[in-house]
Each structure stands twice: as C-alpha cells, then as structure tokens.
Amino acid sequence: MSLLERDNINYLTHVEQFFLTLKGSGLSLSASDYDLITQWETRRVPVEALCRAIETAYRTATQQSRSASPRVSLTAMREQVEDELGKAAR
C-alpha cells in the first residue's frame, strides 16, 4: 500500500503538518513516523484526538528534556501518544 493513496493523503498531511508546526522545525518526518501515522489511520483514530494526544505527549517530552532543543519524533513518543489516546477513549 502506498502512503500517497488518495484516501491517505489528507490524514497524513494533517498530522505531519500539525507535528512539524508544533516542533517548529523540520521539513518532513521520518519513514517510521509516516508508518506510525498510517497505523493510526488504519485503526481509525480520529485525527483531532490524535493531534491532541501528540500535543500532550510533546509538551510532556519537552518539559522533561534537559536539552534546550530536544529531538523528538512521533516514533519516540509512540507510547505516550498511545497512553493519551487511551485516556481520551475512557
């Protein structure tokens, strides 16, 4: 399955742009991040819920980081994002 199939492009683009804007850096995501987004879409995770979970996980990761500009990826935050999605589903 191509990541650029018509039904897939809007979900991927939305999450990609949201995360890159949140980070304030980067032009694109890693292949593993794109794969992860595709998995969330396949599971039918609503894009709004996913973006809220990503934002919460990102804020937590950056607050806990000792670095002034931490390198954060969706893949690295997967567990935190999944936890946030689980909380939202309850």
Side-chain angles (χ1 to χ4, degrees):
M1 178 172 95
S2 169
L3 290 178
L4 297 178
E5 289 180 10
R6 185 168 181 84
D7 293 340
N8 202 17
I9 193 75
N10 290 332
Y11 193 95
L12 271 173
T13 301
H14 188 93
V15 176
E16 173 193 45
Q17 292 304 308
F18 177 82
F19 187 60
L20 291 174
T21 300
L22 185 64
K23 284 180 27 169
S25 66
L27 298 175
S28 66
L29 303 177
S30 68
S32 60
D33 283 350
Y34 286 119
D35 182 57
L36 187 54
I37 294 169
T38 300
Q39 290 174 37
W40 284 320
E41 183 180 28
T42 300
R43 288 175 31 205
R44 298 182 187 259
V45 174
V47 72
E48 297 82 9
L50 179 57
C51 288
R52 282 193 301 272
I54 290 170
E55 182 172 17
T56 301
Y58 179 79
R59 300 274 184 231
T60 301
T62 56
Q63 288 172 355
Q64 293 175 351
S65 175
R66 293 190 175 123
S67 172
S69 58
R71 294 189 174 265
V72 180
S73 70
L74 291 175
T75 303
M77 297 188 318
R78 180 182 193 157
E79 188 175 321
Q80 294 86 353
V81 171
E82 292 290 348
D83 288 346
E84 289 300 321
L85 288 171
K87 289 177 191 176
R90 294 180 198 154

